[in-house]
Amino acid sequence: DLAKDAAAVTDAAAAATPETSEDVAATKIQAMHRGNAVRKDLAKDAAAADTATEATEAAVGTSEDAAAAKIQAVYRGNAARKDVAKDAATADIVTADGADAASRSEHVVATRIEDVPLPST
């Protein structure tokens, strides 16, 4: 209803005052100015939205990197503990032969040195 009332007032004003070419030109200039202002505001809003999207993507990328680093750290920690447990099991086998701690460590070191290939001369 409000739109109908506004249209009726506008129609009544238009009928009461005939438009001159200056009025038409002024109306077109105003319309062009308003259109340019709206497009400029829309461009600013789009740029702000792009910036916000980039910031969000960067934050997500950062959290994904942190999650990946955490997963890698857990995996490496588990692998290291598994290796230590394997070395401990090997040391237990050596002590089952009745060797004392000194000879056991010498045996483990000797076994590891033997595993390293010597350079050929």
Side-chain angles (χ1 to χ4, degrees):
D1 290 332
L2 186 60
K4 287 181 183 178
D5 291 340
V9 169
T10 304
D11 290 340
T17 58
E19 289 189 7
T20 63
S21 61
E22 289 178 354
D23 291 337
V24 172
T27 303
K28 288 190 183 236
I29 291 171
Q30 290 172 354
M32 288 175 41
H33 177 71
R34 289 182 185 140
N36 286 335
V38 168
R39 283 188 289 278
K40 187 176 179 181
D41 288 344
L42 288 175
K44 279 183 186 178
D45 291 344
D50 288 344
T51 304
T53 302
E54 289 172 3
T56 303
E57 289 173 355
V60 168
T62 302
S63 64
E64 287 175 355
D65 291 344
K70 181 67 174 177
I71 291 168
Q72 291 171 353
V74 169
Y75 176 80
R76 290 178 183 145
N78 287 335
R81 284 187 290 281
K82 190 175 182 181
D83 287 344
V84 168
K86 186 177 177 183
D87 289 346
T90 304
D92 289 342
I93 292 170
V94 172
T95 56
D97 295 339
D100 61 347
S103 64
R104 181 181 71 208
S105 63
E106 290 172 7
H107 174 74
V108 171
V109 170
T111 303
R112 290 186 181 157
I113 290 174
E114 290 173 5
D115 291 343
V116 177
L118 297 174
S120 55
T121 55

